[in-house]
Amino acid sequence: MNANTGTDILEVEGLGVTFATDTGDVPAVREVSLQVRPGETLALVGESGSGKSTVALAALGLLPGNAHVSGRVAVGGTEVVGSGEDTLARLRGRTASMVFQEPATALDPLTRIGRQIAEVIRNHRPVSAREAAAEAVELLRRVGIPEPERRAAAFPFQLSGGQRQRVVIAMAIANSPELLVADEPTTALDVTVQAEILDLLRELAADSGTGVLLVTHNMGVVADFADRVAVMLHGEIVETGPVEEVLLRPRHDYTRRLLAAVPRLTVTGPAQAGSTAAPPTPEDPTDPASPVVRLRDVSVQFGHRAGAVRALHEVSLTVGPGETVGLVGESGSGKSTAARVALGLVKPSGGAVSLFGADLRRTRGRARRRLLSGVGVVLQDPVASLDARMSVAQCVAEPLLVHRRDMRAAERRSRVADMLERVGLEKKLAARGPRELSGGQRQRVSLARALVLEPRLLVADEPTSALDVRVQRTVLEVIAELQRELGFACLFVSHDLAVVQQFAQRVVVLRAGEVVEQGPTGNTLLQPTSEYTRRLIAAVPVPDPVVQRRRRAERGNSTALAGRGVTA
């Protein structure tokens, strides 16, 4: 993308942000200065808690009331710091808009998707309700939502996490803003939809001159989409420059460490059985004698008659003791539904489910509670899984209170402190509430909560999606270490194929609710038999802007040939 010349659409000069908390003032951002020109994308990268999202929120005046802001922020010439809510309301949604990291915080759970998008349109443009509704459907189509007319009538809970994120993006681009602030806009998206969304945002920037402030920990996305990069550490910018310069010739040691931690998908070489860091695969991984969890010909259908949605169709998979099985596929492919079936949270319309050898559908009452106490769960959205009224320590301790009521308070506190330390969280964070933490920190709290009972099975639904690459590596090492120590099995749901390749011994590939391929990780990802799996692998971004530019050109050529009926 070529940046247009002209006045900066975003100007940040000497920005400082400090949060007042019950435990004292917490400085989050120190003397940050940056600019975004029309048609340009500036990527803001750094570890979880480095201040990236705080800068993004400050750009639109969205910081909470306990934030003290100094310095200057201007969007399209409008001063943000010190402006009243009326001025900021006119600014947001029209001149500037935002894609939030967690769609659960941006969508009204009680309002249909189409209506929410239409409201954004009508709040800023004089169009009729019918015109806004039609625009909403077209926006859903643009961001890759299947059957957009029907999905417009759905509620947020009826969509997958990735689909909800696409809805949030549709709302953000509804009025063709001059500035788009995107806080981890592709976190919940699979690699193929991620590529499509980046192409869409790139088209928006090229056609209407929209400037983009992109907050992300995905260096592949940075390489694919950004013009310039600013690297943050402890609330300060430590390096900035053109994307090729920063990613290929980094000057700062911290930037070099970030890039070294990026998981890379190996697509050449001999097929291997999977990660050497994880426990060994059982001798017969496809049908272990005593599987921890087994789904046999499981089908799931949501709704009835004409409005029914088929989520799974005759899916079979097993997870053996001490084994990690990766469940991959596009957003809406049924990955999370399969995981929820294994947890007993979704009742299948057909097939059988067993957990620790027991028929989950026939187990009731105390026996069911005892069975499920052996399962730890990390959900995709930490905001939805953590009680905002509790402290971090209380959130982690809750499973111990529910399932181990005879444990003494001192022992419980010690177990919680140990688990928080093992997932890389500082002791001082234990007294804070979940909403006082960054997205990545909240995800680590969810992991500590899931492992505090030392489960026999860990079901992890996108457990590293909100984590920067260095913390991601640390968390995966923690899971692998605890897995070796405790011997639990793991059903690992992810759209990050590089992480799955490093962590799982076997892979199950889902598409439209059906298994299209499964087998040892090395064989499946290095020698895929399905064209769908090959497309997934080809769409994985790498942290090299030169390679990503070539891939975009190849993708564009393939699309053009397909449009003329030519097979590339």
Side-chain angles (χ1 to χ4, degrees):
M1 176 192 331
N2 294 323
N4 298 330
T5 59
T7 305
D8 296 330
I9 185 62
L10 172 65
E11 301 172 85
V12 178
E13 298 177 359
L15 176 66
V17 179
T18 299
F19 292 103
T21 72
D22 292 339
T23 56
D25 289 348
V26 179
V29 172
R30 301 178 181 88
E31 292 296 322
V32 164
S33 296
L34 55 85
Q35 300 78 36
V36 178
R37 297 186 291 272
E40 175 190 51
T41 295
L42 172 67
L44 203 55
V45 304
E47 291 180 310
S48 175
S50 63
K52 308 185 302 295
S53 294
T54 300
V55 172
L57 293 170
L60 297 185
L62 291 171
L63 290 170
N66 67 330
H68 173 72
V69 183
S70 60
R72 177 175 178 265
V73 178
V75 175
T78 299
E79 297 292 335
V80 174
V81 178
S83 289
E85 191 57 35
D86 289 344
T87 299
L88 295 176
R90 288 192 296 271
L91 179 75
R92 301 175 192 137
R94 184 61 172 167
T95 304
S97 61
M98 185 164 187
V99 178
F100 291 92
Q101 181 176 354
E102 290 150 345
T105 64
L107 296 175
D108 182 347
L110 302 180
T111 304
R112 298 180 190 276
I113 293 298
R115 183 176 177 181
Q116 294 191 55
I117 300 174
E119 284 179 355
V120 171
I121 296 170
R122 299 193 72 196
N123 283 343
H124 297 280
R125 286 188 280 136
V127 299
S128 68
R130 179 175 294 181
E131 290 171 328
E135 281 194 44
V137 171
E138 181 56 32
L139 282 163
L140 291 176
R141 182 177 287 109
R142 286 185 68 190
V143 298
I145 295 286
E147 302 179 278
E149 293 85 357
R150 189 159 64 86
R151 297 294 186 182
F155 292 96
F157 73 87
Q158 294 175 302
L159 305 183
S160 70
Q163 288 170 336
R164 287 194 293 268
Q165 187 72 317
R166 280 181 273 175
V167 170
V168 171
I169 292 171
M171 294 170 68
I173 67 174
N175 294 305
S176 300
E178 296 177 45
L179 174 69
L180 180 65
V181 180
D183 189 357
E184 303 286 2
T186 61
T187 291
L189 303 180
D190 61 83
V191 289
T192 54
V193 175
Q194 176 177 270
E196 294 168 3
I197 291 297
L198 292 178
D199 286 342
L200 172 64
L201 296 179
R202 189 178 294 107
E203 177 186 338
L204 178 71
D207 291 349
S208 53
T210 299
V212 181
L213 177 63
L214 173 69
V215 177
T216 185
H217 62 257
N218 189 323
M219 293 298 186
V221 169
V222 172
D224 195 18
F225 188 52
D227 298 302
R228 291 188 298 117
V229 184
V231 183
M232 290 194 71
L233 174 65
H234 302 319
E236 300 177 354
I237 293 179
V238 297
E239 181 168 1
T240 186
V243 62
E244 289 189 20
E245 179 181 314
V246 174
L247 295 193
L248 301 181
R249 296 176 295 277
R251 300 186 306 274
H252 199 279
D253 181 60
Y254 173 68
T255 310
R256 289 191 287 269
R257 295 200 307 270
L258 271 184
L259 290 168
V262 175
R264 287 168 168 80
L265 180 65
T266 302
V267 294
T268 59
Q272 300 172 359
S275 168
T276 57
T281 306
E283 291 183 7
D284 184 8
T286 59
D287 190 19
S290 301
V292 172
V293 63
R294 182 197 295 272
L295 276 60
R296 180 175 291 167
D297 296 328
V298 166
S299 295
V300 173
Q301 180 174 292
F302 296 117
H304 303 282
R305 298 176 183 172
V309 176
R310 190 184 75 173
L312 295 177
H313 180 64
E314 297 183 353
V315 168
S316 296
L317 63 88
T318 59
V319 184
E323 180 187 30
T324 297
V325 173
L327 201 54
V328 304
E330 291 179 313
S331 174
S333 63
K335 305 187 301 295
S336 294
T337 300
R340 289 174 180 270
V341 167
L343 291 168
L345 297 177
V346 171
K347 184 178 180 179
S349 53
V353 184
S354 66
L355 182 62
F356 310 131
D359 187 336
L360 192 55
R361 293 205 293 179
R362 295 184 180 180
T363 308
R364 299 285 187 274
R366 291 183 179 178
R368 185 182 181 89
R369 286 196 295 273
R370 284 196 299 270
L371 199 65
L372 294 177
S373 70
V375 182
V377 185
V378 181
L379 297 177
Q380 181 176 352
D381 187 350
V383 168
S385 61
L386 299 176
D387 192 332
R389 298 167 297 180
M390 294 183 175
S391 68
V392 165
Q394 289 171 330
C395 287
V396 176
E398 187 178 25
L400 297 173
L401 288 167
V402 172
H403 294 289
R404 298 190 182 178
R405 298 183 181 277
D406 59 339
M407 179 179 282
R408 294 181 178 179
E411 184 182 357
R412 191 163 52 244
R413 286 194 298 270
S414 176
R415 175 76 67 85
V416 169
D418 176 64
M419 193 54 64
L420 289 174
E421 181 180 356
R422 296 180 87 167
V423 297
L425 288 172
E426 300 176 59
K427 291 181 180 179
K428 64 182 182 182
L429 298 180
R432 295 186 189 174
R435 296 191 183 278
E436 295 180 80
L437 307 182
S438 69
Q441 288 170 331
R442 284 195 291 265
Q443 193 70 304
R444 279 181 278 172
V445 173
S446 295
L447 178 60
R449 174 188 167 95
L451 295 178
V452 74
L453 283 173
E454 300 181 349
R456 296 169 61 190
L457 171 67
L458 177 68
V459 177
D461 189 354
E462 301 286 1
T464 60
S465 64
L467 304 180
D468 62 82
V469 290
R470 276 165 47 89
V471 175
Q472 180 182 85
R473 172 181 285 185
T474 299
V475 167
L476 290 175
E477 288 173 351
V478 167
I479 296 176
E481 178 186 344
L482 290 171
Q483 194 174 28
R484 285 191 294 269
E485 177 186 330
L486 303 174
F488 59 79
C490 181
L491 181 59
F492 190 84
V493 180
S494 180
H495 62 258
D496 192 329
L497 298 185
V499 169
V500 169
Q501 187 180 54
Q502 292 182 9
F503 192 61
Q505 290 87 53
R506 287 194 299 117
V507 178
V508 178
V509 183
L510 284 174
R511 182 188 188 190
E514 298 185 8
V515 176
V516 297
E517 185 167 1
Q518 65 177 303
T521 303
N523 292 336
T524 304
L525 297 184
L526 293 179
Q527 300 172 351
T529 59
S530 163
E531 176 60 29
Y532 174 70
T533 307
R534 286 193 284 271
R535 289 205 310 271
L536 282 180
I537 293 170
V540 175
V542 295
D544 186 323
V546 176
V547 172
Q548 286 302 118
R549 192 159 50 242
R550 185 180 70 243
R551 284 183 167 190
R552 285 201 304 273
E554 291 171 351
R555 192 163 64 237
N557 290 338
S558 297
T559 302
L561 289 171
R564 296 198 300 270
V566 179
T567 303

